[in-house]
Amino acid sequence: MDTAARRCAECGAEFTWTSRNPTRRFCGSRCKTRWWRAHRRDTVTADTADRTHHRSVAPVPPLSTGHECPNCGQHITVLNLIVAADGGSGSGTLTG
């Protein structure tokens, strides 16, 4: 069995790594829990903000079904939906 001195990903303390547990990154369960909670908090905050933004947007109609245009009332068929990468609405004008 191989051993080596490694540094904890959370606190930086040195611990003995063994080949028996090759994916070990932390000196103990306390640091492992602290690290995962901190990184989960960042992910949850981003996900929550993303979901909150989409709640205020009107529901998207199903594709390939007939609808009325919300601006002019004319009958339209939604064939494809294009969403800006930043979540913005863009100019809202289609040509073709």
Side-chain angles (χ1 to χ4, degrees):
M1 177 171 20
D2 293 332
T3 62
R6 296 244 173 125
R7 296 247 176 228
C8 177
E10 175 62 20
C11 70
E14 197 171 282
F15 68 93
T16 303
W17 170 89
T18 64
S19 59
R20 187 175 191 177
N21 190 357
T23 59
R24 185 173 175 193
R25 298 175 50 198
F26 307 98
C27 61
S29 61
R30 189 178 239 169
C31 280
K32 181 179 180 180
T33 302
R34 228 182 283 151
W35 189 90
W36 281 107
R37 283 184 182 163
H39 284 77
R40 171 131 171 83
R41 188 177 310 122
D42 294 341
T43 304
V44 169
T45 304
D47 289 346
T48 304
D50 193 38
R51 273 190 254 123
T52 303
H53 171 72
H54 290 293
R55 284 186 190 148
S56 62
V57 177
V60 177
L63 299 178
S64 300
T65 57
H67 300 279
E68 287 186 6
C69 173
N71 296 321
C72 66
Q74 184 178 1
H75 180 76
I76 60 172
T77 301
V78 179
L79 299 176
N80 203 351
L81 181 65
I82 301 172
V83 179
D86 64 356
S89 61
S91 67
T93 305
L94 296 175
T95 59

